[in-house]
Amino acid sequence: MSAEAADREAATSSRPCTPPQTCWFEFLLEESLLEKHLRKPCPDPAPVQLIVQFLEQASKPSVNEQNQVQPPPDNKRNRILKLLALKVAAHLKWDLDILEKSLSVPVLNMLLNELLCISKVPPGTKHVDMDLATLPPTTAMAILLYNRWAIRTIVQSSFPVKQAKPGPPQLSVMNQMQQEKELTENILKVLKEQAADSILVLEAALKLNKDLYVHTMRTLDLLAVEPGMVNGETESSTAGLKIKTEEMQCQIGSLSLHCTIDEKRLAGYCQACDVLVPSSDSTSQQLTPYSQVHICLRSGNYQEVIQIFIEDNLTFSLPVQFRQSVLRELFQKAQQGNEALDEICFKVCACNTVRDILEGRTISVQFNQLFLRPNREKIDFLLEVCSRSINLEKASDCLKGNMAAFLKNVCLGLEDLQYVFMISSHELFITLLKDEERKLLVDQMRKRSPRVNLCIKPVTSFYDIPASASVNIGQLEHQLILSVDPWRIRQILIELHGMTSDRQFWTVSNKWEIPSVYSSVILGIKDSLTRDLVYILMAKGLHCSTVKDFSHAKQLFAACLELVTEFSPKLRQVMLNEMLLLDIHTHEAGTGQSGERPPSDLISRVRGYLEMRLPDIPLRQVVAEECVAFMLNWRENEYLTLQVPAFLLQSNPYVKLGQLLAATCKELPGPKESRRTAKDLWEVVVQICSVSNQHKRGNDGRISLIKQRESTLGIMYRSELLSFIKKLREPLVLTIILSLFVKLHNVREDIVNDITAEHISIWPSSIPNLQSVDFEAVAITVKELVRYTLSINPNNHSWLIIQADIYFATNQYSAALHYYLQAGAVCSDFFNKAVPPDVYTDQVIKRMIKCCSLLNCHTQVAILCQFLREIDYKTAFKSLQEQNSHDAMDSYYDYIWDVTILEYLTYLHHKRGETDKRQIAIKAIGQTELNASNPEEVLQLAAQRRKKKFLQAMAKLYF
């Protein structure tokens, strides 16, 4: 072999080999090959080519033994080929824009008809006769897709099409093209005949109020495995690609993942329609913005043109191209020697630029050229245009964001910091520029000023802005106290530090307080301006959070976080913790009050805080409290009982307490012997409420025993426990805590009247060392807890009964009656229904009887004796014998339904010679509904009616 031939062979062998194109039949042989092929970055053949190949092979006619052409057989091979074509279309998300661009009308018609077939649309049935609302979602979506394609195809066929240049004449190709043309015309004829029906189908789709689904590769695979599954998963309401109602209504079946609208084309259609509308009123024609601009240009009234352009920045009525043509005309006149137009050109250009940025376009080259040498007049005019071009009350967030970005970019392009200050101190700039844009502005301007030491001064964007000599320090300090805008606070501090360097401005107000755990870190910042700024931002943010001004608190914290991130990882974590606490408070005070669950990311952040193990980070105890309370309030019991890391239970007492509370709530439905967690919770609380005994030698030499109120034996102090409980809102958790403290209150030896509570049986019945428990503190805690729980829900009958029992135990009988009656009222629609027997138990009724007795309301006592399961005649008769009664006495006789008591009253008044009262008693007993021969239900109804009236009368008396 010659050297030249060897070189040729080496060159040929070194070329990369192009992988062979996958043939259509290979997809029949390997089931998984199609998905692998479609996942390639540039599959060859392309997806639309595969659709053509599959359908072409599936529709090939066959030839029988007599050499006669037969329709394509309906065999397994052809069915699989059609299914493969559908799977490729499903991979393309049934995007008609892609399918119409690459597939001919006959091929796409065949594909969509196969979709109708596989979606169980009965052949030959008119789509307009089918109720879309009752069809399976995949069936309805197939019908919508077909009819939408039909209308699109009819519309597209009406547009003139530029004929392709004919190539060399080839008979076979020409015959194929002619056949396809004829087939297309036949299909279009059918589609046009059905156009009215297709429109009705699509209009009916607009009235649907449910999401639809279209077949995906997976659902089509299920059909291939077992056709019977169509009636199962693939036709259910959740199978396939979900098409939201809004998306379906927007494009009537455009199945791309996101609706897309060609805004430029739509704007063109609108302009074209506007031109076609004739106007017979010449006066109104002259008053249009177009005519006004032309008149002003002819008359040289350029100031009026500027005003029209500024007003148009609000309405967007003039096309951008027209405004640009006006500017080009002015430029041409200026270049012809009219120097007076230079200023006009800048102002018109500024108006056009503001219009461009509002609509999201880039700043023009002309504006950058005209703004190369800015001055105060140009900046003043630009700020005027910006202010008048946006209505802050009505503008969208997009418009505000575009305007803010423009002002920021103008600042970045200025060299003179005085001009920067003119913009940055403008009201529009302060209102619009968000924290993210400010951070970017700070970073970019700092990079532009390398002379500043970043390690010493992390905030350097406006450090060199000159202070105004006309503003004295006192005025600025006053503004500093009042302002809650972080950007304004920063500017004021920069000015103050420019005036004097020997002041600590974080001491200006004694109301600015930060937690002591943070103060050493913040006051240790070397740079005085940064120290003042961090301290004041945090103090103001904490104050805003305290007064529930959460929006300003978030702005202040975000600015502080942005600031400390640049130089202190420790303070960064501190701010992240405070922002977490702020987000918890924001949710609890906002949507959380209506029962809306917090977002999942907030729950994840709370978990992250609880599991955080960063050393040397100053932590506020209240954050841990709020996080655990947050988890309990939103019933995250699974996490607290099963998923919380073990180290947290040892290191964080609030997590330990939260776990015990969550576990006790979970175990409540179980048998008593399985409630081990309740016993653990009991022991923890008992230890918190225990006191440590200490011996102290007095001046006389004798040793005395003293008790420490706040025990250090428990996992936390009692005051800390009470503070934590007052962060809880979940009813079951609060009921469990109340129940525990009530039981603890009841176990003391000198107790006379027990307090009742729900779930009280789950707690131990005794304490080994009663002397160690501070029962006085327990009693105080019970009262505080009941007061707090009723502030959360004043209509919880169980908590109202506890409050009533407390007043009863402390001999406050009128108050006790108030709460006993309120407990009954809240669960009976103010006694219009029967009070449930588990609310008005015999014990509660007996305590109400005793309250009335001790208040000398003896007639009320007799009536209440009827409420007991077994009427207490002895007490009733004894009370009626009392003549020194402080209630309405005989006025209450209408509320008595027990005949025995009424007969005793008749006897008693007869014996005393009280004729009038005897007659009242006789009248009451003579009512027909109290006749002993009446059916039981009549007697019960009579008793219930009298109970209702009596309790309502009592409520009016004691409420």
Side-chain angles (χ1 to χ4, degrees), residues 12 22 28 116 151 243 284 347 382 437 441 597 601 615 656 664 710 730 755 841 879 890 947 958:
T12 304
T22 308
L28 290 172
L116 292 173
I151 297 299
I243 309 300
S284 63
K347 290 185 176 182
L382 183 62
E437 285 84 4
L441 183 62
R597 281 191 61 79
D601 69 305
K656 175 67 175 177
T664 303
E710 288 285 359
E730 211 287 318
I755 301 174
T841 63
S879 64
D890 50 353
K947 283 184 180 180
Y958 288 100

Side-chain angles (χ1 to χ4, degrees), residues 206-410:
L206 294 175
K207 300 176 183 178
L208 291 176
N209 57 0
K210 67 175 184 178
D211 296 336
L212 298 181
Y213 294 79
V214 74
H215 281 302
T216 61
M217 295 182 73
R218 177 175 174 274
T219 59
L220 292 169
D221 275 334
L222 292 175
L223 293 172
V225 173
E226 185 177 350
M229 294 184 70
V230 174
N231 295 325
E233 180 182 358
T234 55
E235 286 195 12
S236 73
S237 61
T238 58
L241 177 64
K242 182 177 180 179
I243 309 300
K244 292 184 178 180
T245 307
E246 297 84 1
E247 184 177 359
M248 184 259 302
Q249 291 176 345
C250 182
Q251 293 198 341
I252 312 294
S254 174
L255 304 179
S256 58
L257 288 178
H258 303 281
C259 286
T260 55
I261 296 176
D262 190 338
E263 295 182 8
K264 292 183 178 179
R265 175 174 291 184
L266 182 61
Y269 286 155
C270 293
Q271 289 184 18
C273 293
D274 190 40
V275 171
L276 292 174
V277 175
S279 176
S280 58
D281 189 349
S282 58
T283 304
S284 63
Q285 180 70 21
Q286 291 177 354
L287 295 179
T288 62
Y290 289 98
S291 300
Q292 290 179 5
V293 171
H294 284 302
I295 292 172
C296 291
L297 289 175
R298 285 196 297 268
S299 62
N301 188 0
Y302 301 120
Q303 294 296 334
E304 185 63 27
V305 173
I306 294 169
Q307 297 305 315
I308 294 172
F309 277 18
I310 293 176
E311 293 171 3
D312 182 64
N313 285 352
L314 286 169
T315 61
F316 295 174
S317 59
L318 292 173
V320 174
Q321 295 82 0
F322 173 74
R323 294 175 58 133
Q324 291 173 346
S325 68
V326 171
L327 180 60
R328 284 194 298 269
E329 183 178 336
L330 292 173
F331 269 132
Q332 290 173 359
K333 290 182 179 180
Q335 290 171 358
Q336 292 171 0
N338 191 345
E339 296 181 359
L341 288 180
D342 289 344
E343 181 183 350
I344 299 297
C345 287
F346 168 75
K347 290 185 176 182
V348 172
C349 184
C351 294
N352 286 353
T353 299
V354 172
R355 166 73 179 271
D356 287 338
I357 62 101
L358 286 173
E359 294 188 297
R361 290 184 292 275
T362 57
I363 299 174
S364 65
V365 176
Q366 292 97 329
F367 178 79
N368 288 328
Q369 290 174 340
L370 293 173
F371 206 61
L372 277 175
R373 295 179 180 177
N375 53 39
R376 287 186 175 274
E377 290 74 20
K378 287 184 177 181
I379 292 176
D380 282 337
F381 178 77
L382 183 62
L383 290 172
E384 178 191 352
V385 174
C386 291
S387 299
R388 294 177 57 188
S389 298
I390 186 168
N391 186 333
L392 292 176
E393 294 181 357
K394 299 180 180 179
S396 65
D397 291 340
C398 180
L399 287 179
K400 293 178 182 178
N402 291 342
M403 182 66 80
F406 172 65
L407 293 175
K408 178 193 67 176
N409 288 330
V410 172

Side-chain angles (χ1 to χ4, degrees), residues 2 4 32 80 112 133 230 234 276 299 304 401 450 572 639 796 882 922 931 953:
S2 66
E4 187 177 359
S32 62
I80 294 177
L112 294 179
V230 174
T234 55
L276 292 174
S299 62
E304 185 63 27
R572 177 182 180 275
Y639 173 78
N796 186 304
E882 296 285 344
I922 291 173
N931 194 317

Side-chain angles (χ1 to χ4, degrees), residues 35 75 149 168 233 272 405 439 509 634 637 736 759 778 864 954:
E35 290 191 33
N75 53 28
W149 168 76
E233 180 182 358
K439 181 179 185 304
S509 173
W634 295 105
N637 293 340
I736 289 296
H759 312 300
V778 170
L864 285 171
M954 290 282 283

Side-chain angles (χ1 to χ4, degrees), residues 408-417 420 441-452 454 460-462:
K408 178 193 67 176
N409 288 330
V410 172
C411 284
L412 289 171
L414 294 171
E415 295 294 335
D416 193 330
L417 289 175
V420 172
L441 183 62
V442 168
D443 292 343
Q444 291 179 333
M445 294 198 73
R446 184 173 62 251
K447 292 175 183 176
R448 199 180 67 183
S449 305
R451 68 182 184 278
V452 179
L454 299 186
T460 56
S461 57
F462 298 118

Side-chain angles (χ1 to χ4, degrees), residues 435-436 486 553-563 575 579:
D435 291 340
E436 307 86 61
K554 191 161 189 175
Q555 292 175 12
L556 291 160
F557 280 169
C560 194
L561 173 64
E562 168 195 317
L563 176 61
M575 291 313 306
M579 292 187 76

